[in-house]
Amino acid sequence: EVYVLRSMIYSAKLSVNPTKRGAKYNKLIYKTAEQSISFDKENPRAYLQKAQYVYHVPKNLGGGLIKAKSLFEEALVKFNSFKPKSNLMPVWGKDIAEKMISICNMLMRRRNCRETIEASFRTLAILQTPNLISMIPIITSFIWSYENPIPTNSVASIRGT
């Protein structure tokens, strides 16, 4: 748990100025997260901290959404089987893992949708079919509505109910 907290402290220090502090703190965050896992392989918060680190690291530097999602899922499995050894043991984090998994799923769906639409645009450009090109405004509005959905609770306020 101490190493999880150290990793979290390094993350907070990094967030002050990522550009200037990235070289120093990125290594420390990852190293302490790995150490916390090596000390206790059943500690779900260690996996959660590592997953949060990987989530914010670009894919070309060894991070990314897919790797982070698998680590969040691994953390959730650990949370589901976690039994505190005493009343003093921390129990926080399961809700964070669940929320991050849903965020990863949402971002992956958006990315897949965007890639499909971009492929459609490339096909339209290659075919240069006037009827298909006339659908570009429809596709564009679909993209906008998909990325900016109206929250369900605001629909009730629009209707006045």
Side-chain angles (χ1 to χ4, degrees):
E1 294 295 336
V2 171
Y3 280 90
V4 172
L5 293 175
R6 276 189 189 172
S7 184
M8 292 174 72
I9 290 168
Y10 293 143
S11 295
K13 288 181 178 183
L14 171 68
S15 69
V16 171
N17 191 340
T19 306
K20 288 185 178 179
R21 297 180 174 194
K24 177 180 180 181
Y25 287 109
N26 274 325
K27 294 174 192 170
L28 291 171
I29 293 166
Y30 188 77
K31 180 181 172 186
T32 53
E34 284 291 318
Q35 287 175 329
S36 63
I37 291 172
S38 69
F39 289 133
D40 184 2
K41 295 196 184 307
E42 298 305 313
N43 183 354
R45 282 162 297 286
Y47 291 91
L48 178 64
Q49 180 60 22
K50 183 178 177 184
Q52 288 177 326
Y53 169 77
V54 170
Y55 177 80
H56 293 287
V57 171
K59 184 178 180 179
N60 60 341
L61 297 177
L65 194 58
I66 295 170
K67 285 185 179 180
K69 183 184 175 205
S70 67
L71 286 168
F72 284 122
E73 289 171 341
E74 189 174 357
L76 188 59
V77 167
K78 301 282 184 190
F79 276 114
N80 288 334
S81 63
F82 179 71
K83 302 281 188 270
K85 296 174 185 168
S86 74
N87 290 338
L88 300 176
M89 290 290 293
V91 293
W92 61 269
K94 183 177 180 180
D95 56 334
I96 297 169
E98 290 170 341
K99 183 68 174 173
M100 290 306 296
I101 290 169
S102 69
I103 289 171
C104 288
N105 286 334
M106 178 197 61
L107 291 174
M108 289 170 83
R109 280 193 308 273
R110 282 187 179 178
R111 185 175 64 192
N112 291 340
C113 179
R114 182 175 287 122
E115 288 171 357
T116 302
I117 292 169
E118 287 172 357
S120 299
F121 274 120
R122 284 192 297 275
T123 304
L124 289 174
I126 291 169
L127 295 176
Q128 301 216 350
T129 307
N131 292 339
L132 293 175
I133 292 175
S134 67
M135 294 182 66
I136 290 175
I138 297 168
I139 295 170
T140 306
S141 67
F142 170 76
I143 294 169
W144 187 89
S145 65
Y146 184 80
E147 292 184 350
N148 302 290
I150 298 174
T152 54
N153 58 354
S154 67
V155 172
S157 64
I158 292 169
R159 290 183 188 156
T161 55

